[in-house]
């Protein structure tokens, strides 16, 4: 007789929550994973992201952890981009040009990606005369508005369940499951009593009708071509939770991006989008919590701010490893 499945509850349906849920459902034996959230794609913060893989050190998170998560995600996305499912998953290769008005070095992740090199003086003078330095590398986009429905469908086909419901008490939620994964983003400030969380407001413009082959970054502006829609950004406003569109910011973004790529003057605006990135003053929280609930362990996985796409698969790998440890202990205790 088959034993009852291990019940795992995941809070949050963004790219961090869904990748964790999918890996738990497909890589653990005899497991029933339920994702519970008050909103699902396409109404999530993740959905507005341009979906670029771009690694950078995130304050108060150990750089070696960030690089490990990013490296694992890069390898996964590369494999997905080369697969027949690439387009329906919303993934594609993209050459990224990072520019600066002053001298810069190659990034710390230069050895982790393909084709990373400094831009030649002639390239800058011809294409970006307003910049004095830059580098390019091969990256990938993983567009959450396409990727999340694809991953959610694969999760449900594998036996996972998705339930729309607002979780207001983490302790009560824990009563229902053998293991809980907290990917609640900004809501973790209440659920996990974490006062170090804060929003970073991001505003972007979604456009179409322009063929642009490269991603272009010159802080604070960026151009991220997608499979059908390009994302022009952006803003990075700490402790600002206003989700209304700022017309002045929109004008600034469009002007800055058109200076980088003049062809976007002819772009058709599809929509304006504002989202709140879930940042954490103490860095990303990915850890096992054995003290929150008397019988159910909690794995926290939140506070990724703008590096959710870049690290999501690697973070899900660590969640999976922690879950295996928990379940092995539980199995031995039961025997």
């Amino acid at each position: 007789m088959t034993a009852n499945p291990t019940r795992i509850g995941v809070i949050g349906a963004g790219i961090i929550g869904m990748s964790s849920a999918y890996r738990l459902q497909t890589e653990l034996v005899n497991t029933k994973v339920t994702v519970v959230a008050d909103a699902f794609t396409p109404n999530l913060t993740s959905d507005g992201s341009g979906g670029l893989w771009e690694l950078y050190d995130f304050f108060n998170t150990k750089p070696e952890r960030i690089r490990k998560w990013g490296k694992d995600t890069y390898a996964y996305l590369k494999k997905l981009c080369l697969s027949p499912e690439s387009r329906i998953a919303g993934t594609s290769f993209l050459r990224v040009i990072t520019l600066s008005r002053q001298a810069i070095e190659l990034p710390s992740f230069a050895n982790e990606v393909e084709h990373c090199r400094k831009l030649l003086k002639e390239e800058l003078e011809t294409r970006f005369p307003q910049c004095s330095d830059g580098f390019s590398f091969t990256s990938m986009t993983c567009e959450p508005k396409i990727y999340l429905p694809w991953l959610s469908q694969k999760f449900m086909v594998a036996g996972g369940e998705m339930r729309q419901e607002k979780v207001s008490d983490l302790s009560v939620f824990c009563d229902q499951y053998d293991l809980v994964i907290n990917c609640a983003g900004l809501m973790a400030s209440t659920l996990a009593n974490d006062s170090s969380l804060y929003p970073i407001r991001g505003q972007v413009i979604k456009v179409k009708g322009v063929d642009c082959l490269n991603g272009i970054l010159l802080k604070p502006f960026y151009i991220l071509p997608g499979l059908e829609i390009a994302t022009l950004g952006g803003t990075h406003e700490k402790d600002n939770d206003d989700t209304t569109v700022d017309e002045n910011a929109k004008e600034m973004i469009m002007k800055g991006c058109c200076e980088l790529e003049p062809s976007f003057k002819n772009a058709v605006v599809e929509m304006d989008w504002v989202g709140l990135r879930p940042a954490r003053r103490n860095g990303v929280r990915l850890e096992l919590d054995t003290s929150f609930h008397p019988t159910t362990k909690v794995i926290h996985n939140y506070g990724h701010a703008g590096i959710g796409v870049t690290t999501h698969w690697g973070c899900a790998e660590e969640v999976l490893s922690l879950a295996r440890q928990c379940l092995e202990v539980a199995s031995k205790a039961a025997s």
Side-chain angles (χ1 to χ4, degrees):
M1 181 179 295
T2 303
N4 291 330
T6 300
R7 300 164 302 156
I8 300 179
V10 177
I11 305 173
I15 196 165
I16 295 296
M18 285 309 307
S19 55
S20 297
Y22 176 74
R23 297 201 67 173
L24 291 167
Q25 182 62 53
T26 56
E27 298 182 50
L28 292 180
V29 177
N30 197 28
T31 299
K32 178 67 175 181
V33 180
T34 302
V35 174
V36 181
D38 59 351
F40 291 94
T41 184
N43 301 309
L44 301 168
T45 298
S46 294
D47 289 304
S49 168
L52 176 68
W53 186 99
E54 183 200 14
L55 194 64
Y56 55 87
D57 289 342
F58 191 63
F59 58 91
N60 292 331
T61 303
K62 291 182 179 179
E64 57 267 27
R65 296 188 81 194
I66 295 289
R67 283 195 285 272
K68 173 67 166 58
W69 298 333
K71 183 177 180 181
D72 290 348
T73 304
Y74 189 93
Y76 159 73
L77 289 177
K78 179 182 176 181
K79 184 177 180 180
L80 187 53
C81 282
L82 294 171
S83 78
E85 291 190 279
S86 176
R87 189 169 184 84
I88 61 172
T91 59
S92 58
F93 288 107
L94 182 69
R95 179 181 181 237
V96 176
I97 300 171
T98 299
L99 300 165
S100 176
R101 301 186 192 278
Q102 56 190 5
I104 56 173
E105 300 297 325
L106 285 176
S108 59
F109 59 80
N111 294 328
E112 310 293 345
V113 299
E114 297 181 353
H115 314 123
C116 188
R117 66 172 179 84
K118 290 293 289 286
L119 295 179
L120 302 176
K121 181 179 178 181
E122 294 78 8
E123 292 177 289
L124 290 164
E125 291 176 345
T126 302
R127 183 83 187 279
F128 307 106
Q130 71 273 47
C131 299
S132 59
D133 207 352
F135 61 87
S136 68
F137 66 99
T138 297
S139 185
M140 290 146 289
T141 54
C142 173
E143 299 177 62
K145 206 156 191 173
I146 304 173
Y147 179 73
L148 280 174
W150 172 80
L151 189 62
S152 298
Q153 180 62 28
K154 289 174 70 70
F155 168 69
M156 289 186 289
V157 168
E161 179 184 356
M162 301 178 71
R163 192 170 78 238
Q164 188 165 5
E165 176 184 313
K166 183 177 178 62
V167 179
S168 56
D169 189 317
L170 184 56
S171 183
V172 172
F173 186 81
C174 287
D175 291 338
Q176 306 170 50
Y177 297 97
D178 302 308
L179 178 64
V180 165
I181 318 298
N182 175 20
C183 305
L186 286 172
M187 287 301 298
S189 62
T190 301
L191 293 177
N193 193 28
D194 190 340
S195 60
S196 70
L197 279 160
Y198 66 97
I200 298 179
R201 182 184 183 275
Q203 180 170 323
V204 301
I205 309 169
K206 300 287 186 176
V207 302
K208 63 190 312 182
V210 176
D211 290 328
C212 182
L213 300 179
N214 300 315
I216 307 174
L217 286 69
L218 174 62
K219 291 181 179 180
F221 305 112
Y222 54 85
I223 297 170
L224 301 178
L227 292 173
E228 296 181 357
I229 292 178
T231 302
L232 309 184
T235 64
H236 190 91
E237 303 166 70
K238 295 180 179 180
D239 290 306
N240 186 342
D241 60 1
D242 184 359
T243 57
T244 58
V245 174
D246 183 332
E247 292 298 328
N248 291 329
K250 178 179 178 179
E251 182 179 349
M252 177 196 70
I253 292 167
M254 185 60 76
K255 180 181 178 181
C257 289
C258 287
E259 288 178 356
L260 292 174
E261 180 52 75
S263 61
F264 277 97
K265 293 177 181 178
N266 302 316
V268 177
V269 176
E270 286 287 296
M271 66 175 292
D272 300 296
W273 177 89
V274 178
L276 304 178
R277 306 177 183 100
R280 188 169 181 266
R281 291 181 175 84
N282 296 332
V284 175
R285 187 180 188 189
L286 205 176
E287 63 182 5
L288 176 63
D289 186 346
T290 60
S291 62
F292 185 86
H293 190 271
T295 58
T296 301
K297 295 181 176 64
V298 178
I299 298 173
H300 299 288
N301 185 18
Y302 63 82
H304 298 74
I307 58 168
V309 169
T310 300
T311 61
H312 74 281
W313 202 253
C315 287
E317 171 67 32
E318 188 164 330
V319 168
L320 181 65
S321 176
L322 290 171
R324 284 195 173 112
Q325 294 174 30
C326 293
L327 300 177
E328 284 178 3
V329 169
S331 177
K332 290 177 181 177
S335 62

